């Protein structure tokens, strides 16, 4: 790819030669070559590097809500069109910030509790998460998986574009992970919330921190299903999706999906 970019750059530096010999607008050619170089770089970045379900979805006002689900993953092999996550830098940043938050809770749960949950604990709104994380042993970190990332991203778009919330509108989590090319134990968390503090297009870091926090606190979830998935050491991989819509009258504005894999 570097050789291709070098050739394109040579074309850029000799644009006058080409445009003097044939009738092509110089600015148009310059824009075209820059577009090709950008796409090559983004493509190169994107090539680098469950069914348990949980969903959290807040009410249309301001409080968030969640949902989770666990089942055995299908072993059927299928293919799907991959999602070019790198085409949207803000969503990529949200995925990376979410991964950082998840791994802080897993690899240093005491520090996560002290830095993210102390205020909620002081106001008796942590749902027992603060004390649990203080007493949780550190575990291995998660790594982003391309197939799980595509499954989570596709489902976040599917749900929010249709204003739906749940785990079984487009098959089971196992079905979606399998279609994306992942075959193994799969778990899913879903959360939605309104407001700019949850919108990755506005502030990807703040949105990631807030979504991971509500999934760990598990507002109104008696079995702490989302927290259990996040702190389950058997999961080693994760995929993260996010989608926001600009319609203020929508029930669901900002929605995130997490798919966890065991292999």
């Amino acid at each position: 790819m570097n050789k291709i970019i070098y050739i394109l750059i040579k074309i850029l530096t000799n644009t006058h030669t080409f445009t003097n010999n044939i009738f092509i607008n110089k600015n148009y050619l310059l824009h075209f070559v820059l577009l090709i170089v950008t796409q090559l770089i983004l493509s190169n970045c994107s090539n680098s590097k469950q069914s348990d379900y949980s969903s959290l979805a807040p009410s249309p006002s301001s409080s968030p809500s969640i949902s989770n689900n666990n089942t055995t993953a299908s072993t059927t092999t299928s293919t799907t069109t991959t999602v070019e996550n790198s085409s949207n830098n803000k969503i990529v940043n949200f995925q990376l910030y979410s991964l950082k938050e998840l791994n802080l809770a897993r690899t240093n749960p005491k520090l996560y509790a002290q830095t993210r949950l102390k205020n909620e604990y002081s106001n008796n709104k942590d749902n027992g998460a603060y004390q649990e994380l203080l007493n949780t042993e550190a575990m291995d970190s998660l790594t982003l998986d391309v197939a799980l990332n595509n499954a989570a991203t596709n489902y976040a778009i599917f749900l929010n574009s249709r204003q739906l919330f749940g785990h079984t509108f487009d098959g089971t989590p196992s079905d979606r992970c399998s279609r994306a090319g992942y075959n193994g134990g799969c778990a899913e968390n879903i959360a939605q919330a309104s407001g700019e503090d949850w919108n990755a297009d506005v502030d990807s870091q703040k949105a990631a921190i807030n979504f991971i926090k509500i999934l760990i606190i598990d507002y109104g979830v008696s079995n702490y299903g989302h927290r259990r998935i996040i702190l389950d050491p058997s999961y080693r991989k994760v995929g993260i999706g996010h989608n926001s819509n600009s319609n203020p009258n929508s029930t669901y504005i900002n929605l995130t999906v997490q798919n966890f894999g065991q292999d």
Side-chain angles (χ1 to χ4, degrees), residues 35-48:
L35 180 62
I36 295 176
V37 172
T38 301
Q39 290 300 318
L40 285 169
I41 293 172
L42 287 175
S43 176
N44 187 55
C45 291
S46 67
N47 289 332
S48 63

Side-chain angles (χ1 to χ4, degrees), residues 15 29 48 56 58 64 67 95 98 114 117 120-121 135 140 147 154 204 223 235-236 254:
T15 300
L29 181 59
S48 63
L56 172 58
S67 168
Q95 293 166 337
S98 295
Q114 293 171 336
L117 303 175
E120 284 77 9
Y121 174 69
N135 297 301
D140 291 336
N154 287 333
S204 55
N223 67 348
Y235 294 116
R236 307 295 297 275
N254 309 300

Side-chain angles (χ1 to χ4, degrees), residues 16-263:
H16 66 280
T17 301
F18 287 91
T19 53
N20 285 338
N21 294 330
I22 54 177
F23 296 103
I24 299 176
N25 182 277
K26 182 177 180 180
N27 290 331
Y28 177 83
L29 181 59
L30 179 65
H31 174 78
F32 177 73
V33 174
L34 284 174
L35 180 62
I36 295 176
V37 172
T38 301
Q39 290 300 318
L40 285 169
I41 293 172
L42 287 175
S43 176
N44 187 55
C45 291
S46 67
N47 289 332
S48 63
K49 353 189 162 196
Q50 326 197 329
S51 173
D52 204 318
Y53 358 143
S54 253
S55 359
L56 172 58
S59 62
S61 56
S62 60
S63 53
S65 50
I66 54 181
S67 168
N68 72 321
N69 188 313
N70 294 340
T71 63
T72 303
S74 167
T75 57
T76 302
T77 301
S78 66
T79 59
T80 187
T81 301
T82 59
V83 177
E84 295 294 341
N85 292 320
S86 59
S87 65
N88 189 328
N89 289 335
K90 292 178 180 178
I91 300 303
V92 172
N93 287 339
F94 173 82
Q95 293 166 337
L96 295 177
Y97 282 127
S98 295
L99 180 65
K100 182 178 179 181
E101 290 296 303
L102 289 168
N103 283 336
L104 175 60
R106 288 169 63 94
T107 63
N108 198 335
K110 183 176 181 179
L111 180 60
Y112 183 91
Q114 293 171 336
T115 57
R116 297 287 187 247
L117 303 175
K118 199 164 187 178
N119 184 59
E120 284 77 9
Y121 174 69
S122 299
N123 292 291
N124 197 29
K125 294 181 178 180
D126 68 308
N127 199 26
Y130 180 82
Q131 289 294 341
E132 179 174 340
L133 266 73
L134 287 182
N135 297 301
T136 296
E137 293 186 7
M139 63 196 73
D140 291 336
S141 60
L142 296 164
T143 58
L144 281 176
D145 180 85
V146 173
L148 293 176
N149 229 31
N150 289 331
T153 299
N154 287 333
Y155 197 48
I157 295 171
F158 177 91
L159 290 176
N160 215 14
S161 64
R162 294 165 175 78
Q163 287 294 282
L164 299 172
F165 188 80
H167 295 283
T168 57
F169 289 106
D170 187 30
T172 67
S174 290
D175 294 334
R176 292 188 292 275
C177 290
S178 179
R179 289 199 301 265
Y182 183 87
N183 297 288
C186 176
E188 184 173 85
N189 283 345
I190 305 174
Q192 73 86 13
S194 303
E196 292 189 349
D197 287 349
W198 310 85
N199 190 333
D201 294 330
V202 175
D203 190 327
S204 55
Q205 183 175 20
K206 182 181 288 186
I209 291 172
N210 287 336
F211 270 120
I212 301 305
K213 182 189 290 188
I214 63 170
L215 286 164
I216 288 177
I217 290 176
D218 255 2
Y219 292 110
V221 180
S222 59
N223 67 348
Y224 315 127
H226 309 90
R227 189 190 309 169
R228 294 286 171 263
I229 291 175
I230 291 172
L231 299 177
D232 187 336
S234 70
Y235 294 116
R236 307 295 297 275
K237 297 179 180 179
V238 68
I240 300 163
H242 181 280
N243 187 256
S244 297
N245 72 73
S246 57
N247 185 352
N249 297 318
S250 297
T251 300
Y252 307 121
I253 303 294
N254 309 300
L255 190 144
T256 189
V257 177
Q258 301 169 349
N259 287 128
F260 295 80
Q262 294 179 330
D263 300 328

